[in-house]
Amino acid sequence: MLTNIQARANKNGYAVFSRNSLLFVLFAVVIPNFLFLLTAPFYIASRLISPFLYLAAGVVGLFLPARLTFLLFFGAAVVDVTLIVMIAFHLPLDVALNSLQYSASINPAASLLYVSIAVIVTATSALSAYLISRHRASLREASLVPALLVAAALSCADLAWTQPYFRKPDVAFDSARVQTGMSADAIIGGGSNMLIVMVEGLGAFSDPEERDALNSMLTQNLPQGRYVIEAGQTYYSGSTTGAAARELCNRWGDYIDYLTGTPTGDCLPNKLAAAGYETIAFHGFGTDMFQRDKWYPDIGFQKLEFLDQLEVEQPEHFVRRCGSVFNGLCDADVGEAVHAALKAEPETPKFIYWLTLNSHIPFVKNEADPMACRSEMPRIHNKTVCELSNLWSIVFEQVSEIAADPELAPTDILIVGDHHTPLWERAAKDGFELGKVDWVLLRHRD
């Protein structure tokens, strides 16, 4: 009798939930997504289409030799992780694809988090490929409906629970320079030096008290009456090179634009260079990263002081290395070089653009703890954000030292974040406003 009931059920369409169908759900959807299912309540990874990538690999793998099935799942895992990183670091698709050529310049193996993710994703993908290859004969009888439903449920959950962290408002162009009126004409007319410090990963704090705690590292030791202090937030677009387009060339864009013929005459370094300013760019990583050695001169920088140049020019000063995946010069050491450059040949006006490095995610903790993160009364609530702020405080303290130097010629100093802080933890991510970065301007009273 039970056999007859099962036969009638199968005939009426209830076989969609057969044992083989549910096994296929397990092998092609649950297992390859297991890591992200397990960590989703605590960590953020944008994976809107990833469940369908693994499902597609599972369906095609039913009709391929085992070797090709393993390659399919490995390919799906590579695309999955690439999309996670691309979205987390605000890389447009063309920039992300172009950036693959710089893989040799970084060291993902320096991050335990990255290594752990790579090992687990590889293992779960291999397990899925093995199980599908071993049971392909019986799985070919499975209905795809349950697998499609589960994959769709995972994507819907991502859409509702994760994608809001990555949505940016569609706004007209905005920048810290626009808000502060620091145009080329205003800088030239004022006759002061100009220093722009682009701080890696400095988003816009959600809590004003936490923002003030970090800003105090900049302002607490400034000479009274020397500067007017202004602060605010601006929208951003893209990644770090998008921030350069925003603050230096007054447009949304990225480095590919400047490699493919976008006009650069309106870029701030070009305008200041034409007015007699010495224009210098500082960064603790190599000039070949994002081909800055090609487009930085095009937008007006007369001199590049990156890792390539600084370790040759001043080997005794640049012995230390900081960071993990992006291992380069220490921001504190580069800041001292910026300070020296601003004071050199004081009769020549200067424009300096300093892009910081060490707060790039994943970061290495600062040995010092100016934000009291390891005390019972941390100045910033979330542990991860607090430790990251310790790294930002190195830059803020260095800039404060520059600004307080009595021998420094009149200099306007703008500190601004490049893009939203790309943190993986939900609790840490909630410490920042979506789509914005903070800025602080020290406007010299003269």
Side-chain angles (χ1 to χ4, degrees):
M1 183 175 179
L2 290 175
T3 303
N4 291 336
I5 293 173
Q6 181 65 46
R8 287 196 298 271
N10 290 347
K11 186 176 180 180
N12 290 329
Y14 295 105
V16 293
F17 296 105
S18 67
R19 178 177 181 275
N20 287 332
S21 299
L22 297 179
L23 283 176
F24 188 69
V25 172
L26 177 64
F27 298 163
V29 182
V30 175
I31 290 177
N33 293 285
F34 178 73
L35 171 64
F36 303 101
L37 286 169
L38 188 66
T39 59
F42 313 102
Y43 294 92
I44 299 171
S46 179
R47 305 180 65 252
L48 193 61
I49 67 170
S50 298
F52 291 101
L53 291 176
Y54 292 111
L55 176 56
V59 171
V60 177
L62 292 175
F63 304 95
L64 294 178
R67 186 178 304 171
L68 293 180
T69 302
F70 276 89
L71 287 176
L72 272 177
F73 271 92
F74 178 73
V78 169
V79 173
D80 183 14
V81 173
T82 300
L83 288 174
I84 289 172
V85 173
M86 182 186 85
I87 295 171
F89 288 96
H90 319 279
L91 297 170
L93 181 59
D94 58 340
V95 175
L97 294 175
N98 193 273
S99 299
L100 294 176
Q101 63 184 298
Y102 309 118
S103 300
S105 300
I106 62 176
N107 182 23
S111 168
L112 179 60
L113 174 65
Y114 285 8
V115 170
S116 300
I117 292 174
V119 169
I120 296 172
V121 169
T122 300
T124 53
S125 298
L127 178 59
S128 291
Y130 167 76
L131 291 171
I132 285 175
S133 298
R134 181 176 180 181
H135 300 283
R136 65 161 50 90
S138 58
L139 292 176
R140 286 173 184 165
E141 301 174 0
S143 169
L144 292 181
V145 172
L148 285 168
L149 290 174
V150 174
L154 293 179
S155 290
C156 288
D158 184 271
L159 185 66
W161 203 16
T162 298
Q163 292 307 309
Y165 285 99
F166 299 101
R167 292 191 190 117
K168 289 180 290 188
D170 184 15
V171 296
F173 177 78
D174 193 16
S175 74
R177 278 209 305 122
V178 167
Q179 291 185 23
T180 56
M182 299 299 291
S183 65
D185 290 341
I187 295 170
I188 295 167
S192 297
N193 294 333
M194 182 72 199
L195 169 62
I196 294 181
V197 183
M198 184 67 70
V199 183
E200 170 60 44
L202 177 61
F205 280 92
S206 300
D207 186 339
E209 291 186 4
E210 294 187 347
R211 180 187 305 117
D212 292 343
L214 178 61
N215 287 350
S216 69
M217 308 305 292
L218 170 68
T219 60
Q220 61 188 358
N221 294 319
L222 291 179
Q224 188 172 4
R226 189 171 185 180
Y227 296 95
V228 176
I229 302 171
E230 303 170 27
Q233 299 176 341
T234 182
Y235 290 101
Y236 72 90
S237 177
S239 60
T240 303
T241 60
R246 183 188 79 227
E247 297 298 341
L248 297 179
C249 297
N250 278 354
R251 63 184 298 273
W252 299 134
D254 56 64
Y255 76 99
I256 293 178
D257 297 335
Y258 301 106
L259 294 173
T260 55
T262 294
T264 60
D266 288 337
C267 292
L268 182 63
N270 270 328
K271 287 189 171 184
L272 295 183
Y277 277 68
E278 182 181 13
T279 57
I280 313 172
F282 282 85
H283 186 41
F285 210 63
T287 53
D288 59 334
M289 190 71 180
F290 300 128
Q291 300 183 58
R292 290 185 174 100
D293 54 339
K294 294 182 174 61
W295 61 276
Y296 265 38
D298 288 344
I299 66 174
F301 285 113
Q302 301 158 335
K303 190 175 183 181
L304 304 184
E305 294 285 13
F306 284 47
L307 183 151
D308 319 50
Q309 294 79 28
L310 291 170
E311 67 177 356
V312 172
E313 297 167 357
Q314 305 175 53
E316 72 288 346
H317 183 70
F318 293 100
V319 176
R320 297 189 301 166
R321 293 294 180 270
C322 293
S324 60
V325 173
F326 285 83
N327 186 258
L329 302 180
C330 300
D331 286 336
D333 296 340
V334 177
E336 291 179 3
V338 170
H339 191 170
L342 282 168
K343 293 177 65 175
E345 300 179 4
E347 69 280 0
T348 302
K350 295 175 180 64
F351 169 61
I352 291 181
Y353 177 73
W354 173 22
L355 172 61
T356 71
L357 175 67
N358 304 155
S359 51
H360 200 290
I361 307 297
F363 62 88
V364 177
K365 291 181 181 180
N366 184 11
E367 292 182 2
D369 186 20
M371 306 305 292
C373 305
R374 298 151 215 169
S375 72
E376 294 182 358
M377 298 182 65
R379 302 183 68 182
I380 293 179
H381 175 71
N382 181 269
K383 180 76 170 179
T384 300
V385 177
C386 192
E387 291 288 1
L388 185 55
S389 298
N390 272 338
L391 292 174
W392 291 328
S393 72
I394 293 174
V395 175
F396 279 52
E397 289 176 334
Q398 187 70 56
V399 173
S400 180
E401 183 177 330
I402 293 172
D405 187 344
E407 298 180 1
L408 183 72
T411 301
D412 295 318
I413 303 174
L414 175 63
I415 301 177
V416 60
D418 54 356
H419 52 67
H420 188 77
T421 311
L423 294 167
W424 303 109
E425 301 169 44
R426 289 183 182 274
K429 196 87 167 178
D430 289 338
F432 298 93
E433 292 193 27
L434 187 64
K436 294 182 179 180
V437 294
D438 280 333
W439 60 261
V440 184
L441 175 66
L442 304 183
R443 193 189 299 271
H444 198 280
R445 286 189 181 274
D446 290 346

